[in-house]
Amino acid sequence: MTEPVLRMLADELPKWLPHQRWFGGKDRPVTEARPVRVITLLDNDPRLVHALVEVVQEDRKSVYQLLLGSRDNPPEYLSGVWIDSEGRHWYEATADAELMTFLLDAIAEEESAGPIAFHRETDVDLDEGLRGRAVTSEQSNTSLIYGQQYILKLFRKLSAGPNPDLQIHRALHSVGCEHIAQPLGWISDDEGDRPTLGMLQQFLADAADGWAMATTSVRDLMAEADLHADEVGGDFAGEAHRLGAAVAAVHADLARALDSRPVEPGELDVAVDAMHRRLDTVLETVPALAPQEEAIRGVFEEARGTADGGVPVQHVHGDLHLGQVLRTVNGWALIDFEGEPAAPVHERSVPRSPLRDVAGMLRSFDYAAHQLLVGQPEDHQLAVRAREWTNRNRGAFCDGYAEVSPNGDPRDHEVLLRALELDKAVYEVAYEQANRPDWLPIPLTSIARIAS
Ligand SMILES: Nc1ncnc2c1ncn2[C@@H]1O[C@H](COP(=O)(O)OP(=O)(O)O)[C@@H](O)[C@H]1O
Ligand SMILES: O=P(O)(O)O[C@H]1O[C@H](CO)[C@@H](O[C@H]2O[C@H](CO)[C@@H](O)[C@H](O)[C@H]2O)[C@H](O)[C@H]1O
């Protein structure tokens, strides 16, 4: 079965990949998709195939993971997206909830298929035979939910070595961190770059994500034109305060579990140089950022001068925003420790300032407040409300953080924090341009405000 599948993938993927939400290379065309390895996981009816595909985009090459399914009599909703040279219909297997049972059961039984190895954490028992439904929210990867118990994330763009999301979850669990979902197992590839293919975790059922909660609060405020943020029913400041405390607790656990050391001489210079380089790259693809270039570089340079050694560097979350935090009945949990999907993995795991995560979350409050205004005619009153909501919740978050963090109040490092926020906003400009061009005005407007 391998040959026809290989040919089909090479033909079909260059057209199909750019339309997938999880495809991380939307900034340039796909010149070629080379299937580099195909392994049959189930060889009857249904069939399940694991494929690694090298995607070539001008001078960039990345490897993506795909799962393909095929059935003799597929239900209508699974009708083939591709047909191989033998006339067999194949589809994106993560849409087939029944077929995805295979992955959970393979982890439970610690099976292997050639170089693909399925692992279960020690002392964990797993229920088998559950169907795996794909999460429908926007994702950089693909996650499957099994009953109300487990969630399996299949990494799409693979990076060499253990995935930071898995490593960090395991490290945090080992020190008893209360603000993460329990790691339950993983899928590894023991060939080539030895990437992590998937990660199984406890599913936090009934949790609400921070983005949904925050944007509901903003909507409540916008609907009550004559009330202030602290007067409307959906005020978020209490939650923002608890969230700040939870992020500080996770930072303390990360420092304990992995590393923490003072900033070395010249280290801040390296960080500032990286900010400039990122700006260079983003300016090439988003000319609308050019009018802000000088002001942005000025803020970066100010941070260089602070020689801010007050906050030790350590492992951090790396891409913290309101969509990465879940409110459970027991408090806030942080998810997705993979870092920024677009950054090279070796950059993501070097020790960095925890203020980066604080800056990420502060940016997110800004996003939540302003996304309702995108594409709307300018309304002074709503703009004032949005600013009021942002300031109230950013302040509450920092208060909560300061109460728990051994590093004190993030606002004491105002200059560095401002540069980190701007750097994040520059990243967001590239992210929005590639994924949601309608939302580009959100980071662009913020940049104008922060840099002025
Ligand atoms: N442990 C969990 N319990 C419940 N829902 C989760 C859990 N982990 C992730 N999710 C949900 O799955 C979505 C995608 O997860 P995430 O780790 O952010 O994936 P990605 O790396 O693809 O962005 C999240 O937005 C969240 O709604
Ligand atoms: O897919 P990930 O969750 O790993 O992160 C990427 O996608 C995020 C959007 O889903 C993006 O976050 C940006 O938009 C959020 C609102 O949707 C906002 O809360 C964040 O502050 C903003 O950065 C994230 O940057 C990107 O890496």
Side-chain angles (χ1 to χ4, degrees):
M1 131 169 117
T2 309
E3 261 312 305
V5 173
L6 287 172
R7 268 200 304 277
M8 171 190 81
L9 290 176
D11 288 348
E12 301 293 337
L13 292 184
K15 289 167 274 171
W16 183 79
L17 281 170
H19 301 289
Q20 305 315 304
R21 167 64 180 80
W22 46 260
F23 181 60
K26 297 198 185 79
D27 56 338
R28 43 186 107 160
V30 175
T31 21
E32 198 184 343
R34 295 186 201 128
V36 286
R37 197 189 69 197
V38 168
I39 290 182
T40 302
L41 298 175
L42 286 174
D43 190 13
N44 213 316
D45 181 37
R47 291 169 179 78
L48 180 60
V49 163
H50 183 272
L52 294 184
V53 179
E54 185 180 63
V55 180
V56 185
Q57 298 184 275
E58 297 162 6
D59 58 340
R60 183 201 291 153
K61 285 182 188 161
S62 323
V63 175
Y64 283 82
Q65 167 178 217
L66 283 181
L67 280 165
L68 312 183
S70 182
R71 288 178 180 273
D72 289 346
N73 297 301
E76 191 124 320
Y77 76 97
L78 290 177
S79 55
V81 285
W82 311 289
I83 305 174
D84 71 22
S85 52
E86 292 177 349
R88 174 168 290 285
H89 285 248
W90 291 90
Y91 53 84
E92 161 68 35
T94 56
D96 187 339
E98 226 169 90
L99 195 46
M100 291 299 95
T101 303
F102 171 86
L103 299 178
L104 174 63
D105 291 359
I107 294 174
E109 299 291 336
E110 299 215 89
E111 285 171 10
S112 59
I116 301 178
F118 297 85
H119 310 263
R120 179 168 40 80
E121 293 284 355
T122 339
D123 302 332
V124 162
D125 270 331
L126 296 173
D127 288 341
E128 295 185 37
L130 302 174
R131 292 154 52 90
R133 343 168 240 116
V135 166
T136 48
S137 64
E138 296 221 325
Q139 266 201 274
S140 304
N141 296 290
T142 298
S143 294
L144 303 161
I145 299 171
Y146 291 92
Q148 289 289 295
Q149 287 112 298
Y150 317 124
I151 180 163
L152 172 64
K153 170 146 68 168
L154 297 168
F155 297 108
R156 288 302 197 159
K157 183 170 158 198
L158 300 180
S159 44
N163 188 289
D165 203 7
L166 173 66
Q167 276 183 310
I168 294 184
H169 267 101
R170 297 188 82 204
L172 284 172
H173 184 64
S174 75
V175 295
C177 180
E178 290 175 357
H179 299 284
I180 54 160
Q182 184 189 352
L184 301 172
W186 72 100
I187 309 173
S188 65
D189 193 322
D190 297 336
E191 214 172 55
D193 283 345
R194 306 174 80 83
T196 306
L197 301 175
M199 175 179 78
L200 186 74
Q201 275 189 310
Q202 165 199 20
F203 178 64
L204 301 169
D206 301 326
D209 86 75
W211 175 255
M213 289 174 70
T215 47
T216 304
S217 162
V218 173
R219 239 170 243 128
D220 283 356
L221 177 62
M222 300 290 185
E224 299 278 1
D226 50 350
L227 292 181
H228 291 281
D230 57 345
E231 296 165 342
V232 289
D235 183 23
F236 190 70
E239 288 299 348
H241 187 281
R242 278 185 282 276
L243 180 57
V247 171
V250 171
H251 280 160
D253 287 338
L254 278 170
R256 219 153 36 101
L258 291 164
D259 51 8
S260 172
R261 59 163 175 78
V263 180
E264 285 168 2
E267 204 167 347
L268 200 58
D269 286 333
V270 175
V272 171
D273 291 344
M275 292 178 189
H276 282 294
R277 278 200 306 279
R278 167 133 91 181
L279 178 58
D280 294 339
T281 313
V282 178
L283 278 166
E284 280 169 24
T285 47
V286 191
L289 192 54
Q292 305 298 334
E293 177 180 357
E294 205 184 319
I296 299 173
R297 293 202 194 275
V299 174
F300 290 169
E301 283 309 303
E302 258 186 78
R304 194 193 294 281
T306 58
D308 202 318
V311 180
V313 290
Q314 59 165 98
H315 263 77
V316 297
H317 180 283
D319 190 19
L320 195 61
H321 56 82
L322 284 161
Q324 309 281 42
V325 291
L326 300 176
R327 178 68 162 99
T328 74
V329 284
N330 302 315
W332 286 100
L334 275 58
I335 58 169
D336 196 2
F337 287 80
E338 208 187 353
E340 287 171 357
V345 86
H346 59 90
E347 269 177 31
R348 298 189 225 158
S349 47
V350 295
R352 285 174 293 173
S353 173
L355 290 174
R356 257 181 207 281
D357 286 346
V358 172
M361 198 51 94
L362 296 182
R363 287 286 315 123
S364 209
F365 286 119
D366 206 68
Y367 251 79
H370 289 95
Q371 51 92 32
L372 271 185
L373 309 182
V374 173
Q376 302 298 323
E378 203 159 324
D379 181 322
H380 176 71
Q381 177 68 3
L382 291 185
V384 169
R385 293 290 177 198
R387 241 188 337 271
E388 189 185 331
W389 189 96
T390 314
N391 292 340
R392 178 170 173 76
N393 288 290
R394 285 163 60 107
F397 177 85
C398 288
D399 288 345
Y401 190 92
E403 277 172 23
V404 172
S405 172
N407 302 324
D409 194 325
R411 290 162 293 195
D412 292 345
H413 308 273
E414 193 193 339
V415 177
L416 181 56
L417 197 56
R418 188 158 161 242
L420 289 169
E421 261 202 78
L422 258 186
D423 178 50
K424 187 75 193 178
V426 168
Y427 164 82
E428 289 164 348
V429 164
Y431 177 84
E432 300 300 357
Q433 165 90 344
N435 293 285
R436 305 182 291 203
D438 291 354
W439 282 29
L440 193 51
I442 304 182
L444 282 177
T445 315
S446 306
I447 287 175
R449 197 170 49 243
I450 305 170
S452 64

